[in-house]
Amino acid sequence: MALARSYSVALLGLEGRLVEIEADIGAGMPGTKLVGLPDPGLREAKDRVRAAVRNSGQSWPDTNVTLGLSPADLPKVGSSYDLGIAVAVLAAAAAVPSDRLAGTVLLGELALDGRLRAVAGILPALLAARRLGYRRALVPVDSVTEAALVDGVEVHGAPTLADVVAWLRDEAPLCEPGPVQPVVAGSAPDLADVVGQPEARWALEVAAAGGHHVLLTGPPGIGKTMLATRLPGLLPPLSADEALEVAAIRSVDGSLSRSAPLATVPPFVAPHHSISRGALVGGGSGLAAPGAVSKAHRGVLFLDEAAEYGAERLESLRTVLEEGEIRLARIRGVVRYPAAFQLVLASNTCPCAPPRDTDCTCTPSARRRYLSRLSGPLLDRVDLRVRMRPVTVMRTDDGARPEDTTCVRQRVVAARRRAADRWSRHGWRTNSAVPGPALWREFALPSSSTTVVEQGLRRGALTARGADRCLRVAWTLADLAGADRPDGDHVAAALDFRDRRAA
């Protein structure tokens, strides 16, 4: 009887767990048994691996082979264990030495002819392996650039199983990655393209400076979508850690670029209003996959025609907006995905949506029903609400060009730097992330400045959550003005942004 083991990684969302793959070759009738909670795709691995081993010039044992994936109670999903299974069997059969397998994780799907195919989730898997003390990884050659994003792990890329066998026998080297450079995507649309709309432009600047959510309402064709698409260009570039978080989500989703995996531009995700709830927040059978809210992590989620999304999808965003994380429970376990994004909602004011309000043919009750699709609890989580007016002039007499993205971004970056310096010892990076109790206690403003907020609370025009968000916007307005702390005018301006008539 011969026994050998190799190592791989199982993913539960972005969390990785080490999987020990054991291969036991013993007496008995020829056959292969795979145990350890494999999913249907993984149960087929024994047939894929057997064919790949034979087509790579190696012999498959003609006795009983038992393959165990431990821990046995952990669900194993996907085909990324193929390489580990093949190597464990070859090591148990003494076809390759096992000395290089210690401290090494193996990831990759095997084709029937022995080629190694790329799999999703390489980046988070190697991040987990590094955390667990593993310092070497074998991955498909197409995934080498992605794997190289993980510092402290020696990465080797293999095109075929035969190359892995040669490396284990110390007969030939494997492909090693070159240096990884952050890639900045093409230039974002310029804010100077937006005609008029000074209030909405100012709201977009405030949103970018403080990380606030925005609601834009108004007739069609006045620039709501144009403004939303220009928000990522106003945001600061992603830091190295943030870019790695975004890349890890894309890796699990399978949408990570192989040639340029590390992008520093905040993502912009704009799903169609027909998107399902599972595609929006995440879902699927087995272990849930990330949805649009997670793909927009550290960036912008834009919901155009927000009133058309339906209550079920819109209300599913409420907890995500508060916590910056989505938890998805399935029969095989609970997965967590980060979802700290800026929400931009755009909506018409009524079903008929004429260019001018005076041409509206909807009854008052129809207008109320349409706008009530955006519920009070959802709107309470939106900091800035702007009613946009029709554009009446496309060209000014003096020919002055509106401020461009570069000019506005300079003010945004300066305001964010002030906020980051102020909150750094608490671990907060933007004003929108500051907890309400801290705003009312440790960083309390004079009562003369918060009088309008307290009056709104007494009248019932403002909720406690709304009061917290009002103060966060006030701090952002102070940062943009270069003030040390908000005054009464900043608080009043922040409260004006929450005027429900803008919805």
Side-chain angles (χ1 to χ4, degrees):
M1 184 176 78
L3 178 68
R5 58 180 55 88
S6 62
Y7 303 93
S8 190
V9 178
L11 286 177
L12 298 174
L14 295 183
E15 179 187 355
R17 297 274 300 276
L18 186 71
V19 173
E20 181 180 342
I21 303 173
E22 297 175 294
D24 176 76
I25 301 176
M29 295 293 292
T32 304
K33 184 191 305 183
L34 180 62
V35 297
L37 276 186
D39 75 330
L42 181 54
R43 276 196 292 269
E44 298 172 350
K46 58 182 183 291
D47 300 317
R48 286 195 304 271
V49 171
R50 184 190 303 112
V53 168
R54 288 174 175 169
N55 290 323
S56 298
Q58 306 300 317
S59 299
W60 186 264
D62 56 1
T63 58
N64 184 57
V65 178
T66 302
L67 299 167
L69 280 65
S70 178
D73 61 346
L74 178 70
K76 319 297 187 309
V77 179
S79 57
S80 61
Y81 306 95
D82 286 7
L83 179 58
I85 291 172
V87 169
V89 171
L90 291 174
V96 297
S98 59
D99 53 311
R100 286 191 170 186
L101 297 180
T104 303
V105 294
L106 300 99
L107 299 164
E109 176 185 330
L110 283 172
L112 298 184
D113 60 359
R115 286 176 295 116
L116 270 175
R117 291 172 171 159
V119 293
I122 292 285
L123 177 55
L126 293 191
L127 289 171
R130 183 184 63 180
R131 186 179 66 252
L132 295 169
Y134 285 74
R135 292 295 180 263
R136 186 163 54 202
L138 264 63
V139 300
V141 69
D142 290 339
S143 301
V144 164
T145 304
E146 175 184 348
L149 298 177
V150 183
D151 294 329
V153 175
E154 177 187 336
V155 175
H156 299 275
T160 66
L161 177 60
D163 294 297
V164 176
V165 171
W167 180 81
L168 290 171
R169 292 172 176 171
D170 203 14
E171 296 174 352
L174 293 176
C175 174
E176 295 185 1
V180 178
Q181 298 294 333
V183 176
V184 180
S187 58
D190 201 320
L191 192 60
D193 299 334
V194 180
V195 177
Q197 306 299 347
E199 293 180 2
R201 289 170 60 98
W202 171 238
L204 205 69
E205 181 176 341
V206 174
H212 305 292
H213 308 307
V214 188
L215 168 64
L216 304 173
T217 58
I222 59 173
K224 298 189 294 292
T225 301
M226 286 187 69
L227 280 167
T229 56
R230 282 148 179 79
L231 179 55
L234 301 180
L235 300 175
L238 299 177
S239 66
D241 291 340
E242 291 171 339
L244 203 59
E245 290 177 8
V246 173
I249 296 171
R250 292 176 178 174
S251 176
V252 171
D253 180 60
S255 60
L256 185 66
S257 170
R258 295 179 184 175
S259 59
L262 199 62
T264 59
V265 175
F268 180 82
V269 179
H272 190 261
H273 60 75
S274 62
I275 188 173
S276 67
R277 182 179 179 273
L280 180 62
V281 300
S285 59
L287 293 175
V293 297
S294 296
K295 297 173 188 176
H297 181 60
R298 301 298 182 190
V300 177
L301 177 66
F302 176 48
L303 302 186
D304 197 9
E305 303 296 344
E308 304 296 335
Y309 275 77
E312 180 186 13
R313 282 161 284 185
L314 290 176
E315 297 307 304
S316 67
L317 298 175
R318 285 160 53 174
T319 303
V320 183
L321 292 175
E322 289 292 322
E323 300 182 359
E325 180 186 69
I326 183 72
R327 293 183 295 275
L328 304 168
R330 295 294 184 271
I331 192 171
R332 289 198 169 189
V334 178
V335 296
R336 289 179 169 84
Y337 292 109
F341 56 87
Q342 285 186 245
L343 177 65
V344 179
L345 300 170
S347 176
N348 298 323
T349 54
C350 66
C352 73
R356 297 182 304 174
D357 285 343
T358 55
D359 296 332
C360 177
T361 59
C362 299
T363 63
S365 60
R367 292 174 66 95
R368 284 195 301 270
R369 282 196 304 270
Y370 185 79
L371 291 177
S372 66
R373 298 178 184 179
L374 304 178
S375 68
L378 176 64
L379 292 179
D380 203 33
R381 291 164 168 82
V382 177
D383 305 323
L384 311 172
R385 309 175 194 173
V386 182
R387 177 70 179 272
M388 298 173 63
R389 308 297 175 183
V391 176
T392 57
V393 177
M394 294 296 293
R395 186 181 303 170
T396 58
D397 294 335
D398 57 4
R401 189 169 184 263
E403 280 190 312
D404 59 13
T405 294
T406 302
C407 181
V408 177
R409 184 171 55 231
Q410 290 175 351
R411 296 196 296 267
V412 168
V413 171
R416 285 214 172 201
R417 189 178 299 116
R418 294 189 189 97
D421 292 342
R422 179 172 58 248
W423 311 123
S424 59
R425 64 189 182 92
H426 301 278
W428 311 316
R429 290 183 290 186
T430 60
N431 294 321
S432 62
V434 182
L439 295 172
W440 291 98
R441 297 174 188 170
E442 188 173 353
F443 297 92
L445 301 178
S447 58
S448 58
S449 299
T450 59
T451 299
V452 291
V453 174
E454 293 170 353
Q455 288 175 348
L457 285 169
R458 285 194 293 269
R459 293 198 313 267
L462 200 63
T463 66
R465 180 191 295 114
D468 292 345
R469 291 185 173 274
C470 181
L471 292 187
R472 293 179 185 130
V473 174
W475 278 101
T476 300
L477 294 173
D479 289 334
L480 286 168
D484 291 335
R485 58 193 297 119
D487 57 22
D489 291 339
H490 295 135
V491 176
L495 186 61
D496 186 58
F497 270 124
R498 296 190 61 81
D499 187 347
R500 287 185 178 272
R501 286 174 296 179

